[in-house]
């Protein structure tokens, strides 16, 4: 009897897991359970062109390969608990599922600040799903006054899109520059200048105390340490994410920041890998030999980078196939489309924010920036410079894989 695998989470990670289980030789049944009522779709356009045009889930959906034609999709149903010893999953409609193997791919949800009336959630919009994007798009009438709380990638991309549509957009953040926590203040200041040139206003170094609905159908955004109140027609909260781990509670798992896995993406309990449970995508945290620590990454390419290994580990845990025996060392990478050019990043810039060096170009223009820890290159950001991407990526890969620190001063030549 072939083992039955349940995949929980029908986003990109769930899709790639199903594909790679088949590619790894899993011949048993697969059921994917997804909390959203949609087949897996692409999220990055939701802050970009799809927010301009109005998102259409049919055009955002990922193609499904013939190899996963016989996968069962249960959509609009959330897992509410799991019994790992009994190998049973419970759903929010009261039904249960037995499994031999389990894939955890539930990603993250938007974080909410306690800035509503009485310290509850505020009457703001967030942007994680296609339905969130539809709700936001519907509110973006021409000339709408939009406040964006949070100057990370989601906040900056939404602000740029709203400004391009002719909206009056104001971004608030307690940090001194947009993206400062991810790419540092120097890159952040350059991004700020580009966004300002595109019509985005910033109030930085300020916190939001409260957002209240006004009698006229708008919103009043009260700042901390100031009597200032900003009025808006729409308020978007883009203040980070929370891993979707509640359904895994009570099982002795390591749920401190996502879910703890070993270096092969097998979920661990008490430090011991469970042979029949893997995790991947935004939710997975695992030790990465190149960075000498556990990492959890929320990038689009990551589910694809992780799926083959997760599937190989699970198939090995469920049958006679040998487990992978090489260290697993995927390279994190992301891009963001902002006015003035695409930003691309490789490695983990946040680990090297204490030592940021301009490798090529000008801070204000196209440039390559290196992020170092203990003198060693751990991350790169390219603003523009698309033609140099492969050179820089190769240099970083060489540096990380040899661990020599040779890249501390290196930009590729040529
Ligand atoms: C608006 C937006 C723009 C982005 N733009 C970029 C970009 O430009 N570049 C980049 O590199 N990355 C970008 N990303 C990040 C990238 O899209 C994510 O890293 C990627 O989608 C992660 O895939 P995932 O499958 O791990 O998680 P998700 O895509 O979040 O999928 C997880 C799924 O699990 C479901 N789920 C959660 N809990 C349960 C449960 N209990 N039971 C059943 N199902 C559950 C969720 O509803 C969700 O559908 C963006 C993300 C967003 C939201």
């Amino acid at each position: 009897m072939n083992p039955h695998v349940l995949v929980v989470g029908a986003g990109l990670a769930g899709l790639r897991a199903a594909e790679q289980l088949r590619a790894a030789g899993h011949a048993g049944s697969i059921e994917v359970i997804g909390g959203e009522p949609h087949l897996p779709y692409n999220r990055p356009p939701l802050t970009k062109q799809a927010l301009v045009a109005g998102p259409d889930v049919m055009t955002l959906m990922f193609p499904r390969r013939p190899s996963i034609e016989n996968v069962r999709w249960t959509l609009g149903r959330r897992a509410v608990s799991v019994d790992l010893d009994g190998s049973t999953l419970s759903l929010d409609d009261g039904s249960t599922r037995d499994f031999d193997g389990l894939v955890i791919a539930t990603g993250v949800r938007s974080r909410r600040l306690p800035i509503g009336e009485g310290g509850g959630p505020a009457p703001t919009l967030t942007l994680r799903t296609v339905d969130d994007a539809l709700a936001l798009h519907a509110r973006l009438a021409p000339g709408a006054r939009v406040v964006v709380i949070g100057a990370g990638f989601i906040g900056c991309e939404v602000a740029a899109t709203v400004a391009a549509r002719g909206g009056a957009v104001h971004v608030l953040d307690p940090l001194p520059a947009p993206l400062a926590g991810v790419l540092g203040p120097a890159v952040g200041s350059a991004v700020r200048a580009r966004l300002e040139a595109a019509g985005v206003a910033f109030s930085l170094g300020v916190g939001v105390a409260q957002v209240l609905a006004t009698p006229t159908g708008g919103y009043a955004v009260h700042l901390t340490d100031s009597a200032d109140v900003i009025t808006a027609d729409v308020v978007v909260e883009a203040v980070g994410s929370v891993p979707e781990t509640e359904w895994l509670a009570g099982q002795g798992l390591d749920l401190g920041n996502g879910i703890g896995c070993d270096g092969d993406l097998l979920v661990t309990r008490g430090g011991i890998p469970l042979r029949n449970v893997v995790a991947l995508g935004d939710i997975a945290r695992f030790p990465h030999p190149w960075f000498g620590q556990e990492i959890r990454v929320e990038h689009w390419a990551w589910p694809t980078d992780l799926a083959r290994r997760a599937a190989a580990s699970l198939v090995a845990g469920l049958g006679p196939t040998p487990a992978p025996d090489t260290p697993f060392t995927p390279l994190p990478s992301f891009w963001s489309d902002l006015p003035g050019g695409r930003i691309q990043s490789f490695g983990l810039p946040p680990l090297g924010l204490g030592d940021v060096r301009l490798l090529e170009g000008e801070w204000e223009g196209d440039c390559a920036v290196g992020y170092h820890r203990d003198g060693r290159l751990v991350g790169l950001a390219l603003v523009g410079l698309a033609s140099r991407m492969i050179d820089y990526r190769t240099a970083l890969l060489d540096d990380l894989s040899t661990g020599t620190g040779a890249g501390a001063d290196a930009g590729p030549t040529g």
Side-chain angles (χ1 to χ4, degrees):
M1 181 76 176
N2 283 320
H4 172 58
V5 173
L6 276 185
V7 178
V8 186
L12 183 54
L15 174 69
R16 293 289 181 254
E19 291 169 352
Q20 289 302 323
L21 280 166
R22 288 289 182 243
H26 172 70
S29 49
I30 301 175
E31 179 179 4
V32 184
I33 292 161
E36 293 179 67
H38 311 294
L39 285 162
Y41 62 87
N42 202 16
R43 296 190 197 278
L46 298 178
T47 40
K48 309 175 183 82
Q49 63 273 27
L51 190 58
V52 178
D56 172 7
V57 72
M58 296 308 290
T59 58
L60 294 171
M61 250 173 218
F62 293 111
R64 289 185 307 289
R65 294 180 185 167
S67 64
I68 59 165
E69 255 169 16
N70 56 3
V71 163
R72 178 175 168 197
W73 299 90
T74 299
L75 301 171
R77 289 266 77 91
R78 291 179 67 84
V80 289
S81 65
V82 66
D83 173 358
L84 292 177
D85 296 317
S87 296
T88 308
L89 183 81
S90 299
L91 304 189
D92 58 2
D93 61 354
S95 65
T96 59
R97 302 284 196 280
D98 295 335
F99 60 85
D100 300 300
L102 180 68
V103 177
I104 296 170
T106 44
V108 299
R109 63 174 176 271
S110 300
R111 187 162 82 93
R112 305 293 303 271
L113 298 173
I115 52 173
E117 193 121 40
T124 55
L125 298 179
T126 55
L127 187 44
R128 178 82 204 164
T129 67
V130 67
D131 296 300
D132 294 338
L134 276 167
L136 177 56
H137 176 77
R139 301 285 300 278
L140 293 180
R145 294 166 306 158
V146 179
V147 165
V148 178
I149 305 173
F153 281 108
I154 301 275
C156 287
E157 288 190 358
V158 167
T161 302
V162 170
R165 281 191 54 151
V169 58
H170 193 155
V171 180
L172 314 175
D173 197 291
L175 292 177
L179 310 179
V182 201
L183 296 179
V187 172
S189 297
V191 167
R192 174 185 181 167
R194 289 171 179 217
L195 282 163
E196 284 177 337
V200 176
F202 282 92
S203 291
L204 298 167
V206 301
V208 173
Q210 217 174 24
V211 178
L212 299 175
T214 64
T216 52
Y219 301 92
V221 181
H222 297 258
L223 305 184
T224 50
D225 303 323
S226 152
D228 290 354
V229 178
I230 302 171
T231 51
D233 302 309
V234 184
V235 183
V236 180
E237 212 174 327
V239 293
S241 60
V242 180
E244 290 271 20
T245 53
E246 287 80 358
W247 64 280
L248 296 159
Q251 298 298 301
L253 302 174
D254 174 4
L255 303 178
N257 167 22
I259 183 160
C261 304
D262 74 356
D264 290 313
L265 303 176
L266 289 167
V267 167
T268 58
R269 181 156 62 176
I272 312 290
L274 298 167
R275 58 163 192 82
N276 68 332
V277 187
V278 294
L280 76 161
D282 283 3
I283 199 171
R285 168 171 45 85
F286 62 96
H288 195 303
W290 288 352
F291 301 103
Q293 66 179 74
E294 291 188 325
I295 68 170
R296 188 176 71 77
V297 166
E298 297 180 20
H299 299 339
W300 185 86
W302 207 229
T304 306
D305 294 340
L306 268 48
R308 183 184 296 220
R309 187 58 158 236
S313 297
L314 188 59
V315 167
L318 295 176
T321 313
D325 61 358
T326 50
F328 181 52
T329 55
L331 181 70
S333 67
F334 74 81
W335 83 97
S336 176
D337 288 328
L338 288 169
R342 172 168 283 202
I343 297 179
Q344 296 184 87
S345 164
F346 302 97
L348 292 175
L351 297 186
L353 288 178
D355 184 357
V356 181
R357 304 180 201 174
L358 186 65
L359 304 178
E360 181 179 336
E362 306 288 334
W363 289 112
E364 298 75 27
D366 287 357
C367 60
V369 181
Y371 299 81
H372 304 77
R373 186 177 63 180
D374 301 328
R376 187 176 160 220
L377 191 65
V378 289
L380 280 170
L382 301 186
V383 182
L385 289 188
S387 63
R388 306 281 282 132
M389 194 264 281
I390 292 181
D391 294 339
Y392 274 108
R393 185 177 181 280
T394 305
L396 177 65
L397 270 175
D398 285 351
D399 207 50
L400 285 170
S401 59
T402 57
T404 60
D409 299 313
T413 52

